Amino acid sequence: MTTQTTAPLSPSAPVEGAPKGFIGLPATVGRALATGGSALAVVSTFLAWTWTSEYPGDLTVYGYPGGLQVLVLIGGLLSVLLGLASYGLWGLGRLFPGSADAALKLAVLGTFATAWYTVVDISAELGGVVNLEPGAYVVALATLVALVGVLALPFTWPEPEPIDPEDTSWEQFKHHRRQNWAVVKASVAAKSPGPAPQRPAFVDILVIVAVMAVGLIVFTYGIGTEYDQQFIGFLIIVGFGFGALAKAGLVARVSAITARHRTLTMISAFVAAALFPFTQSDDQYATIGVYILIFATVALGLNIVVGLAGLLDLGYVAFLGVGAYTSALVSGSPSSPLHVQWPFWASALCGAVVAMIFGVIIGAPTLRLRGDYLAIVTLGFGEIFRITVLNMDGTSGPDVTNGSNGISSIPNLDILGFDFGQEHTILGFTLARFANYFLLMLLITLIVVVVFRRSSDSRIGRAWIAIREDETAALAMGINGFRVKLIAFALGACLAGLAGSVQAHVTYTVTPEQYQFAHVVPPNSAFLLAAVVLGGMGTISGPLVGAALLYLIPAKLQFLGNYQLLAFGLALVLLMRFRPEGLIPNRRRQLEFHEETEAPAVLTKAGA
């Protein structure tokens, strides 16, 4: 029997009847324009974009990019690299196993948006285009040419096979999607060079270290942006750049490597995070870092309840408040009616245990409910907690929490003679107050990550997932649904209480207003739930990344004023529309949202 094969077409080969882009140019011309325009944009970053240093970033220097020019430089270099990969030059196709054309489109769009945003903002801020220097005109023209080039790249919509005319329109739509995806997979398989050879273990280790180093650089750059325009450009480049690398298949390849070395990846990630305070010259951005870790740790605890067990908890921030108030009461604060000062390990343990007890008390009578009814009850518990501590002021109730004044003047921690409120010099680096608390909170986060990972991989973790997927089927298989859900509720509350114990000392004061369902400044129940959904439910890294974004972006977008939440909500809507499974999805959830995705032989673990 003879097997007939068809040689794969090169990206530049003309095909009769081949699909075209939005404009009528050939695809080869489009790739050339996109690559050449991006290269010219890179050159333009070494020219002056304005004549005055009044615009932030000092874009007046020739030969040295600064401010937003650096971001355009990065976007341009990525676009050039993907453009060369689309031609298959220098073996770049092996580095980017996905769709180079789709990745090139996103990279060019990100570079174009950043460049034109900068040019328009310079004109608006300084009073007209007369303030632009030649470099600004060059980058505007170059990115426009690159945009025209990517608009010429083809969009493939293959003709679907005939289907049953009695199918509903929704079934027809899904059938079209499956057919389209099958053609795309066949095209990628045809261009694939075959199974990749086995890599030495040290290569995977180097890849993981490099990824963590890049992550640290990106996070440090983002958190250290000095002005609003630079942060907006940073968001544009990072968003489109991540999308381009995902389309190119690089994200999937790195994810496969990290999945094979989960322990090494976790250790590398925490080492990279521990290096963050040593990259800072003062406490300005370490402050944001420690609050991000508090937010991320609580979000990871909520991920046990929502992501693994599938329980919609809208009052989870109350458990953070329980831990914070418990720790504050035994912290030695002069406004505490108990007038005792326990060591940190005792106060942290007490905060976690008291929060767990509250989780059992609240969960026992309510966890027999499902869905919206459970969400309403937990929302009510969050409000009950806030109102209760507000009324325990000695007038409306017993004098325990000082009402709206809260418990103030909470002293800094002192562990084994190490005062977290004082500056300390380590290896020649000076760590101030918030840097000290950042390292302590990082240790707490590591504990929570280990608990989450061990729990999700255990028998009880598999029971949580079974309850989440189909509670009726899980009960029919002999799983004690009430007991399993109560354990998830209690464990999640315990982890939130542990984080609250540190938060009390970081903020100096705990008040009822900090623990509302919706509040301008996270953490609150709404932002916590959004962090879990945005990052990816049922994963470890998802809520950590989601919490970091949800805290960092509002902190940097304060200049929007009353429009801050509008912009934030719009961004969430767009993300849920185009990536409903989250930024770092669990494999099972990704299969739920994308039926055309081929299921692997063995699903990754829930905590991946």
Side-chain angles (χ1 to χ4, degrees), residues 350-425:
C350 184
V353 170
V354 172
M356 182 179 65
I357 293 173
F358 271 86
V360 174
I361 293 175
I362 299 303
T366 61
L367 287 178
R368 300 187 187 278
L369 301 174
R370 297 186 187 182
D372 299 339
Y373 300 100
L374 178 61
I376 293 172
V377 171
T378 54
L379 177 61
F381 164 66
E383 288 301 299
I384 290 172
F385 168 77
R386 184 182 64 84
I387 295 173
T388 299
V389 297
L390 187 63
N391 290 332
M392 298 176 72
D393 56 359
T395 302
S396 303
D399 185 11
V400 178
T401 63
N402 295 326
S404 59
N405 295 324
I407 300 176
S408 59
S409 302
I410 301 173
N412 284 303
L413 290 174
D414 191 320
I415 302 177
L416 300 177
F418 187 92
D419 189 347
F420 282 75
Q422 301 296 323
E423 290 187 352
H424 299 275
T425 301

Side-chain angles (χ1 to χ4, degrees), residues 18-22 26-28 31 101-102 105 150-156:
K20 297 183 180 297
F22 285 117
T28 52
R31 293 189 186 94
D101 280 352
K105 294 174 188 177
V150 296
L151 292 178
L153 297 182
F155 293 84
T156 304

